[in-house]
């Protein structure tokens, strides 16, 4: 065992850490050695003693192979295994694990962690591990899709938030994502090593990507995070497609939720982005008519038409669409948005005026008393929906004083937001660099740039008049740039 242990702790050595090329060769050689050792008949019997002599943060590659052996066996004490798994997944050296995609994936899936841990702990551990591997969270993998589905189905939204709040930019098999750099290169973007070829993920189909985003949206709905839910559903409904007649079932479902969440978020019917493909756009215009009509009625000043609109659709319709809870929230927010819209006209307004000028969507009539309005307004203030204060003067009617965002923003809060924004921009640096490199080698993008240049020259020759500029998506021929999946 001592000779095996000496081999396990030999990597990484102090001399290898300062030289990327040397480190790369040593890591590759060590991985091959571990594969050979783990196939030896003595390996399983020595594993319980070996793991006690290894540091998971320093000897991450060796620890991973030993840990997977213990995880696959039946004789190792479960409590000890769970402790070792937790320690490793929260402390491993991500640089070393770049060389062990197959072993890393096997650790997460054979058996799955949720078969060993309570659901909430399993979700938190997988989330932590994926973000240690890719702190940017910019690469979608098959682990992500399974994790988000499991988190939503078990109602463990909180622990998965750190990963679903990240912006996905790269997908397995994406055109131009292949890198010739060594895995040890510190500037190598996550998309350069988190690949199907390196066994960090399985290939993903269009439906996997769409399902991932719609589940993200559903998770954000549970959190009442309307902006994030709206953005997630919008990614689904605008997903690139060259089909001029159809939309997937997932996209149709996402469209209905996108409209309802848009009402909750902005108080008005959302407008389809110009990037929406023609085929899905046509489908939404037909299948989404009930939602569009509902959204139009929501914007009207009297609640009667809105009430008529949603009551005109049977309960069975809303049940089948799985939007009963969202509809209830939209009905509840109808009067809230009427109150919010008063801020565009008044800086202060009496509660009695609010009562007479707004209506409940449930009754299509004003509330019965000023006390009911005060409860409603104070609730909006408490949940952060409304910035303002209910004032009770000694002589006079109680009123609502609106305040702007700038009025409520302290110097400390302003500084905190600026620092957070700067950190987000800094974190995007590697992603932007990788995206630029990928686009620079993409023939469709280069073709589009040439067309753009011609249009600009035409505009200049015509005296600066309007020019018909073609969108990048219109010139993609063979592959969908987002996923690298053959169109159709």
């Amino acid at each position: 065992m001592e000779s095996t242990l000496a081999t396990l702790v030999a990597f990484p050595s102090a001399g290898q850490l300062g030289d990327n090329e040397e480190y790369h060769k040593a890591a590759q050689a060590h991985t091959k050695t571990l594969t050979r050792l783990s196939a030896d008949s003595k390996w399983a019997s020595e594993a319980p003693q070996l793991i006690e002599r290894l540091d998971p943060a320093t000897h991450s590659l060796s620890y991973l192979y030993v840990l997977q052996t213990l995880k696959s066996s039946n004789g190792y004490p479960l409590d000890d295994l769970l402790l070792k798994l937790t320690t490793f997944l929260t402390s491993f050296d991500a640089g070393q694990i770049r060389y062990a995609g197959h072993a890393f994936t096997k650790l997460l899936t054979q058996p799955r962690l949720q078969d060993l841990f309570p659901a909430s702990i399993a979700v938190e551990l997988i989330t932590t591990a994926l973000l240690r591997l890719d702190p940017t969270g910019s690469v979608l993998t098959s682990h992500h899709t399974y994790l988000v589905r499991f988190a939503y189905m078990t109602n463990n939204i909180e622990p998965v938030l750190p990963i679903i709040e990240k912006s996905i930019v790269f997908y397995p098999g994406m055109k131009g994502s292949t890198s010739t750099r060594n895995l040890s290169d510190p500037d190598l973007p996550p998309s350069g090593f988190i690949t199907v070829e390196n066994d960090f993920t399985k290939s993903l189909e269009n439906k996997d990507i769409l399902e991932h985003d719609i589940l993200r949206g559903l998770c954000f709905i549970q959190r009442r995070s309307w902006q994030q839910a709206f953005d997630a559903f919008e990614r689904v409904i605008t997903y690139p497609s060259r089909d001029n007649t159809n939309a997937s079932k997932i996209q149709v479902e996402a469209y209905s939720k996108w409209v309802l969440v848009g009402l909750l978020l902005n108080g008005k019917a959302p407008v389809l982005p110009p990037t929406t493909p023609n085929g899905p756009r046509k489908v939404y215009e037909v299948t989404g008519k009930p939602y569009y009509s509902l959204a139009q009625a929501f914007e009207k000043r009297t609640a009667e038409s809105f009430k008529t609109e949603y009551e005109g659709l049977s309960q069975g319709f809303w049940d089948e669409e799985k939007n009963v809870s969202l509809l209830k929230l939209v009905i509840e927010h109808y009067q809230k948005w009427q109150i919010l819209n008063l801020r565009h006209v008044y800086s202060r307004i009496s509660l009695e005026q609010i009562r007479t000028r707004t209506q409940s969507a449930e009754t299509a009539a004003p509330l019965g008393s000023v006390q009911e309005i005060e409860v409603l307004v104070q609730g909006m203030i408490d949940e952060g929906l409304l910035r303002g204060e209910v004032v009770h003067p000694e002589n006079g009617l109680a009123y609502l004083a609106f305040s702007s965002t700038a009025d409520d923003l302290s110097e400390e809060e302003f500084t905190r937001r600026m620092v957070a924004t700067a950190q987000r921009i800094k974190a995007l640096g590697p992603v932007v660099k990788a995206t630029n490199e990928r686009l620079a080698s993409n023939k469709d993008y280069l073709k589009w740039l040439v067309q753009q240049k011609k249009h600009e020259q035409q505009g200049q020759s015509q005296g600066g008049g309007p020019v018909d500029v073609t969108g990048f998506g219109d010139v993609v021929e063979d592959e969908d740039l987002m996923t690298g999946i053959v169109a159709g």
Side-chain angles (χ1 to χ4, degrees), residues 53 84 94 140 313 370 395 402 416 461:
R53 308 278 292 275
K84 296 292 191 298
L140 183 66
L313 297 166
V370 170
N395 299 313
F402 292 103
R416 188 188 67 78
S461 65

Side-chain angles (χ1 to χ4, degrees), residues 21-234:
E21 183 64 29
E22 185 67 24
Y23 184 94
H24 177 65
K25 293 177 181 178
Q28 287 183 317
H30 192 65
T31 302
K32 291 179 180 178
T33 299
L34 290 171
T35 301
R36 176 178 55 80
L37 287 174
S38 61
D40 191 286
S41 58
K42 297 185 299 181
W43 178 264
S45 61
E46 294 179 347
Q49 291 78 39
L50 290 171
I51 202 164
E52 299 298 336
R53 308 278 292 275
L54 297 173
D55 181 350
T58 304
H59 312 113
S60 298
L61 264 177
S62 298
Y63 198 99
L64 170 59
Y65 275 78
V66 177
L67 181 57
Q68 178 55 35
T69 297
L70 295 175
K71 183 167 175 275
S72 302
S73 67
N74 296 321
Y76 196 68
L78 180 60
D79 288 346
D80 291 344
L81 176 62
L82 299 185
L83 178 59
K84 296 292 191 298
L85 283 167
T86 301
T87 303
F88 175 77
L89 292 173
T90 56
S91 64
F92 66 80
D93 176 5
Q96 292 185 42
I97 302 305
R98 291 183 181 188
Y99 292 86
H102 178 74
F104 181 77
T105 293
K106 192 174 179 180
L107 187 74
L108 295 182
T109 60
Q110 296 182 18
R112 293 191 180 277
L113 294 187
Q114 53 268 35
D115 296 331
L116 300 173
F117 291 93
S120 59
I121 296 178
V123 170
E124 185 172 359
L125 283 177
I126 299 172
T127 297
T128 301
L130 292 179
L131 288 177
R132 284 191 71 81
L133 188 67
D134 172 18
T136 70
S138 60
V139 183
L140 183 66
T141 71
S142 51
H143 299 303
H144 289 70
T145 58
Y146 187 89
L147 171 65
V148 175
R149 187 187 310 116
F150 179 73
Y152 178 72
M153 296 300 293
T154 59
N155 196 28
N156 284 289
I157 311 302
E158 183 76 26
V160 84
L161 284 177
I163 208 163
I164 66 174
E165 289 177 339
K166 298 289 187 180
S167 297
I168 296 294
V169 182
F170 305 106
Y171 300 83
M174 176 183 280
K175 185 177 180 180
S177 62
T178 304
S179 177
T180 57
R181 300 179 190 174
N182 288 339
L183 294 178
S184 58
D185 189 335
D187 295 327
L188 181 68
S191 59
F193 65 89
I194 301 178
T195 63
V196 175
E197 293 75 18
N198 289 341
D199 286 329
F200 277 110
T201 177
K202 296 178 181 177
S203 297
L204 297 178
E205 298 179 357
N206 285 345
K207 66 179 182 61
D208 298 317
I209 298 171
L210 295 175
E211 182 184 81
H212 174 73
D213 275 322
I214 198 171
L215 285 171
R216 287 178 62 244
L218 293 174
C219 288
F220 288 132
I221 284 177
Q222 297 276 32
R223 298 279 301 173
R224 300 296 189 265
S225 301
W226 304 128
Q227 182 65 64
Q228 291 172 304
F230 185 78
D231 293 341
F233 293 137
E234 192 165 285

